[in-house]
Amino acid sequence: PVKGYKLPYNVMSDRLKGIRKAELTLLTAGSGIGKSTIAREIAYSLVCEYNLKIGNIFLEESHSKTAQGYIAMDNNVSLGALRADPTIISRENFETSKKKIFTDTGMLALSHFGSMDCKKLISKLEYLAVGKQVDFIILDHISMVVSGLESDNERKDIDMLMTSLRGFIERTGVGVIA
């Protein structure tokens, strides 16, 4: 049996038996429910608890906001509160968290905003998997990948993306949380 890494949510972890490499884990819910926050918390936990290397591709936010999200989490404040008032975290604590998360661990973030075609996305994922040797990749979010494509069949576009993701996972053994 393949043992999974414990998630920061006990019920979810018990039901999934943890999260494993070489698998695609999809987080689904309505808009604004907190899927991105949960994905970030899972990544943070994998880095802090297991010293795993994580690649981040958050398509709806800037590289800076992605970093702020992890720094806020490390200081037990919400991202919204930190963005509204950056002084709620001292400069020293901010720099300590930044070093801890992005220098001392395997947390990487690729800077990209907005949709991209499937081949370009897979190329970025390959770079993280092979070039940077990450254990897991956070992809937030799937519908954003296909939203800017000139197609009238979003369902087919998403199916093609999922097929490409599955092939990527099989080739590399990297876990993807999307």
Side-chain angles (χ1 to χ4, degrees):
V2 179
K3 186 175 182 202
Y5 297 99
K6 189 171 174 14
L7 296 165
Y9 307 102
N10 292 332
V11 172
M12 181 188 271
S13 195
D14 288 344
R15 292 199 177 150
L16 293 176
K17 306 299 182 215
I19 192 166
R20 288 161 292 284
K21 294 182 192 179
E23 289 186 2
L24 173 61
T25 303
L26 291 174
L27 303 174
T28 62
S31 181
I33 297 295
K35 298 176 298 294
S36 298
T37 301
I38 288 172
R40 197 183 326 270
E41 287 179 352
I42 291 170
Y44 180 80
S45 173
L46 292 171
V47 165
C48 293
E49 298 293 322
Y50 301 102
N51 200 31
L52 296 178
K53 218 169 177 183
I54 309 295
N56 292 273
I57 301 178
F58 282 84
L59 297 173
E60 286 189 314
E61 62 189 41
S62 68
H63 183 70
S64 173
K65 185 176 179 184
T66 299
Q68 288 173 336
Y70 285 114
I71 290 167
M73 196 172 293
D74 195 52
N75 286 276
N76 203 29
V77 300
S78 73
L79 173 58
L82 175 61
R83 290 178 63 81
D85 179 11
T87 64
I88 65 171
I89 298 175
S90 71
R91 187 46 135 172
E92 181 181 337
N93 286 353
F94 189 93
E95 291 301 322
T96 298
S97 292
K98 183 177 167 185
K99 181 179 184 300
K100 171 186 167 186
I101 296 165
F102 294 102
T103 305
D104 295 345
T105 67
M107 187 69 77
L108 304 167
L110 283 186
S111 187
H112 183 85
F113 187 82
S115 66
M116 70 176 85
D117 69 52
C118 188
K119 287 181 182 177
K120 186 174 180 181
L121 173 66
I122 297 300
S123 175
K124 286 181 178 279
L125 299 177
E126 294 274 357
Y127 169 74
L128 287 170
V130 178
K132 295 297 186 177
Q133 299 180 323
V134 299
D135 298 294
F136 284 91
I137 295 173
I138 308 297
L139 173 59
D140 185 44
H141 65 81
I142 286 193
S143 60
M144 185 71 165
V145 174
V146 299
S147 68
L149 301 179
E150 293 181 18
S151 168
D152 18 338
N153 194 341
E154 183 181 45
R155 168 67 188 201
K156 183 177 179 185
D157 294 339
I158 290 175
D159 285 347
M160 290 173 57
L161 170 62
M162 297 305 286
T163 300
S164 294
L165 274 175
R166 189 66 226 145
F168 160 77
I169 291 166
E170 285 298 317
R171 280 191 315 279
T172 63
V174 169
V176 174
I177 303 164

